[in-house]
Each structure stands twice: as C-alpha cells, then as structure tokens.
Amino acid sequence: LMTHAPAYLWNSGAKAKVRPLKHLDHLGVLENLQTCILFSSQAAWLPMQGQGPYAAANLAMDAFSRPHSITVNFGAFGDVGM
C-alpha cells in the first residue's frame, strides 16, 4: 500500500489521526479513561486509489488496541466522504 510513497505523504495522512493518538498515549491520558472511541474510516480496509496515506493512518488507528478503546469505521457520507 505504501511501499513506494515518499515519507511526506505518510506524514500528511498521519498528521490528523495517528500523531494525536500517540501523544495522548505517551502522556498516559488514555489509561485514565473508561472508554475511548476512535473515529476511523472504512478506507483502512477498502482503500481507493490515491488514498494510501489516509488508509494507512486509519489502519494504524485500528491497530491501536487497548482494553478500553473502540474504533468506529465510517463509510462514505455522500460523494465527499466524512
């Protein structure tokens, strides 16, 4: 999926999804929550052409497994997505 993509593409896809989650985890914020709901996308499992970084970022969120976390994978909302 991302084998030939330059790093800046991954960074643009991960910026809004993966980095904040990593920061919250690093600070220990997530340990104090009873439930953590993560909003992901079905693009993690069914990516469209040109959505490699976005799909990889959503898949990384899905892979973030904690006993108290739930990931909701939304589909497209009309023609424009979420």
Side-chain angles (χ1 to χ4, degrees):
L1 186 65
M2 293 287 294
T3 56
H4 300 293
Y8 74 87
L9 285 179
W10 161 251
N11 290 333
S12 67
K15 191 174 187 177
K17 293 197 172 269
V18 178
R19 285 184 187 164
L21 188 57
K22 286 177 65 175
H23 288 302
L24 290 173
D25 187 44
H26 178 73
L27 294 172
V29 173
L30 300 176
E31 294 174 11
N32 298 324
L33 298 176
Q34 289 181 335
T35 303
C36 177
I37 302 173
L38 305 172
F39 295 94
S40 185
S41 169
Q42 72 177 11
W45 305 103
L46 301 169
M48 300 288 285
Q49 185 177 6
Q51 288 189 330
Y54 180 70
N58 281 289
L59 191 56
M61 279 183 52
D62 292 350
F64 182 84
S65 60
R66 299 292 183 269
H68 57 277
S69 64
I70 299 167
T71 305
V72 179
N73 292 78
F74 285 100
F77 286 82
D79 295 332
V80 294
M82 195 163 148

